[in-house]
Amino acid sequence: MAWDGGSVGTDAGDTAELARRWAAALAGGARDHVVALSAAEVTQLLTRLAAGLDAAARQGDSRAAAEIGAEFAEARFVGDEVLGLSVATLAAHFATRGLDAAAVLGAFGTGYVRAFRAWLLAEQESARAAEIAARRAAEQRLRDNEARLRFHAQHDPLTGLANRTRFFDELGAAFTDPDARVGLCYIDIDGLESVNETLGHAVGDELLAQVARRFAELAGPGRPAARIGGDEFVVLVPRAGAPSELAELADAVLRVLAVPFEVHGQRLTVTAGIGVYAERAGLTSPEELLQNADTALYWAKAEGRGRWAVYDADRQQRERTRLDLASALPGAVARGEFFLEYQPIVTLANRQAVPVAVEALVRWRHPELGVLGPGRFIDLAEDSGHIGALGSDVLTMACRQARRWHEQLGPAAPVVSVNVAAAEVEDRGWLPRVQQLIDDTGIAPAQLQLELTERTFMHTTGRPLQTLRILAESGVRIAIDDFGTGYSNLAYLGRLPLHVVKLAGPFVHRIRTAGSAGRNDLLILEAIIDLCHGLGLTVTAECVETRHQADRLLELGCDTAQGWFFQRPMAAGLATEQLTIAAAMAD
Ligand code: C2E
Ligand code: MG
Ligand code: MG
């Protein structure tokens, strides 16, 4: 390149030679160029810079030299030895040219260092900015991860609803204000197991997801819905208003479930049981709120599908007492806390009211609650599986008393009628126990009567029925108790090994007074009594409380009766006295 450098002539070959030497010097030093240039580019750049410096040296132009130094630095010729090697090469060159280039080379160095420093600063600045940006990105990633983790820790993956953990957080938050009435709908989907079993878990899962979506929509903002168990959901009402709010919510839950679901091409309908409870936060605790709603749910489920029930402390207290009683039952039998009262069953004929039988009615002398009637514990004993032990105790006491009466009254001894529960008859050990008792006490089988309710007979088929036949054939009297309260299935009367039909209290109640009996009531009673007689059965009316009832029953042909009009249930001692008097009068 021809280049007019100034007063002292130079030529392109000279400059090229300088560039070559310069490049060679740099190549010998530590090469840590930040920006890599090809050899050709280096040569081209250094040739241009060498020419510029040569011109500056000739003209004593320090400013131009400084700019060239800056350009050299900006081309990223940086490193420990770059400047030193460059100045040495350039100084040698100018010396051979007889130029005093000290000032120009000084300016070149200054320009280089300044640009280099500026570049370094910019580099540091951008490094810092890059570091900050990187840190921010990392922190954001961390936050995103945490949020994702938190979401998963607090939500149910299947339905996306809040899970148990999240629900308890929200419940706890609702309790921060002691005046807030916090309400809960505890929902349990009916029959999910059968969906899973018959249609597969994929269908069950999808059904749950759709159910959850409806709940979330229904509850809306401010009333969080959560899935807290396999088929258990809750809707929390942190600020419950009037009691009707929760009732409406429960109704709405049942309504949204009633709309059929489309799951994998299947049309499914779903019902649920719901327990409802609301209370002021200051008067309860989150655990108690949930527990009580759960109790109400249990009540709702016990009533059938698609029901809701509200928690009621009194009812809970009653149920708790029932549970306490149930668990105390076996011990009470062992301690002999049960005893019998006896209620005479009398003849109606001639208005003589001669006692021919007594019904043994069990009572529990409870150490804390006093004497309890069978209404408080018989069902309980049946449900808890303790009826066998209790029934056996009752039969033993009744048979021993029958034996005593037999000894005291001879032929005037009454039949002792004992109530028997279905579960007892179904138990294989029951028949031999009864037979053994009759043997042990030495009573005539005909002195024992067993009362079974209509309900019991309905479930009595197969072996239990055979058991009753064996007893009946041996002479034990079998009575159907409370006839008329259940199905009043007349067909049973002909098929069962029966001796006695006891007309239920409600039946007899209809003819309590002259005004209370309708013509039809009397007709029905008469037809039943006639039918029983036709089948060779004795008819006993229960719960006879008035003379009017006794008179009508006598007119209708009823054989015997029992009730307060004649005698209340009484202790064995008193019953013995009464029976003795009656026997003496009959003589
Ligand atoms: P149930 O066998 O029908 O006994 C008659 C019930 O009616 C007795 O009640 C008796 O006290 C009551 N009663 C008698 N006369 C009248 C009356 O004129 N008016 C009214 N309103 N009631 C009258 P209790 O003793 O409370 O027995 C209730 C039920 O408990 C019995 O009904 C029987 O089903 C059952 N039960 C009693 N003892 C036993 C038992 O030892 N074993 C079993 N399995 N059940 C028993
Ligand atoms: Mg009875
Ligand atoms: Mg009865």
Side-chain angles (χ1 to χ4, degrees), residues 359 419 451 481-482 502-505 542:
E359 178 170 8
N419 294 284
E451 297 190 13
D481 199 0
D482 300 341
K502 294 188 77 175
L503 294 176
E542 293 188 88

Side-chain angles (χ1 to χ4, degrees), residues 340-341 343 359-363 373-378 382 387 390-391 394-395 418-422 424 451 453 481-482 502 504-505 509 512 542-546 549 562-569:
L340 298 181
E341 282 194 329
Q343 184 177 34
E359 178 170 8
L361 296 161
V362 68
R363 277 86 180 92
R376 291 286 299 276
F377 57 85
I378 289 291
E382 291 191 49
I387 192 68
L390 176 59
V394 166
L395 259 172
V418 181
N419 294 284
V420 176
E424 292 182 78
E451 297 190 13
T453 60
D481 199 0
D482 300 341
K502 294 188 77 175
H509 192 77
R512 202 163 189 280
E542 293 188 88
C543 293
V544 177
E545 296 179 347
T546 65
Q549 281 169 317
Q562 169 185 3
W564 299 343
F565 175 65
F566 304 105
Q567 226 109 57
R568 296 217 172 211

Side-chain angles (χ1 to χ4, degrees), residues 348 529-530 533 539 552-560:
L348 286 170
I529 292 167
D530 284 352
H533 286 164
V539 182
R552 289 296 81 71
L553 287 162
L554 171 61
E555 282 165 20
L556 293 170
C558 186
D559 306 292
T560 52

Side-chain angles (χ1 to χ4, degrees), residues 428-461:
R428 281 176 189 277
W430 185 71
L431 174 63
R433 215 160 37 236
V434 178
Q435 290 169 327
Q436 188 69 46
L437 253 176
I438 294 171
D439 280 358
D440 289 352
T441 51
I443 57 169
Q447 211 193 326
L448 179 63
Q449 175 166 294
L450 299 175
E451 297 190 13
L452 289 93
T453 60
E454 207 180 333
R455 195 165 54 100
T456 307
F457 274 114
M458 271 177 47
H459 301 294
T460 309
T461 51

Side-chain angles (χ1 to χ4, degrees), residues 66-67 69-74 76 78 109-121:
E67 280 169 16
E71 190 178 349
F72 184 46
E74 280 157 9
R76 302 291 182 265
V78 293
T110 308
Y112 175 89
V113 168
R114 232 179 251 147
F116 180 48
R117 197 178 294 139
W119 171 78
L120 266 186
L121 284 175

Side-chain angles (χ1 to χ4, degrees), residues 224-308:
R227 179 178 179 224
I228 61 170
D231 54 1
E232 291 178 4
F233 295 84
V234 282
V235 178
L236 175 67
V237 185
R239 293 265 180 284
S244 61
E245 182 184 348
L246 281 162
E248 279 159 20
L249 182 59
D251 274 333
V253 166
L254 294 180
R255 258 199 321 275
V256 296
L257 288 180
V259 180
F261 291 86
E262 293 283 344
V263 184
H264 298 323
Q266 308 263 3
R267 221 171 138 79
L268 301 174
T269 44
V270 168
T271 58
I274 305 173
V276 172
Y277 184 52
E279 184 54 280
R280 264 185 48 207
L283 298 178
T284 183
S285 67
E287 294 73 27
E288 193 178 57
L289 191 82
L290 188 66
Q291 174 62 51
N292 291 351
D294 189 22
T295 301
L297 167 63
Y298 178 78
W299 295 341
K301 291 221 116 175
E303 278 165 26
R305 289 174 161 229
R307 308 288 177 96
W308 58 266

Side-chain angles (χ1 to χ4, degrees), residues 314-325:
D314 291 343
R315 175 170 175 184
Q316 173 65 353
Q317 184 54 46
R318 287 196 300 277
E319 308 247 335
R320 206 164 282 154
T321 312
R322 266 174 65 83
L323 275 184
D324 291 347
L325 285 182

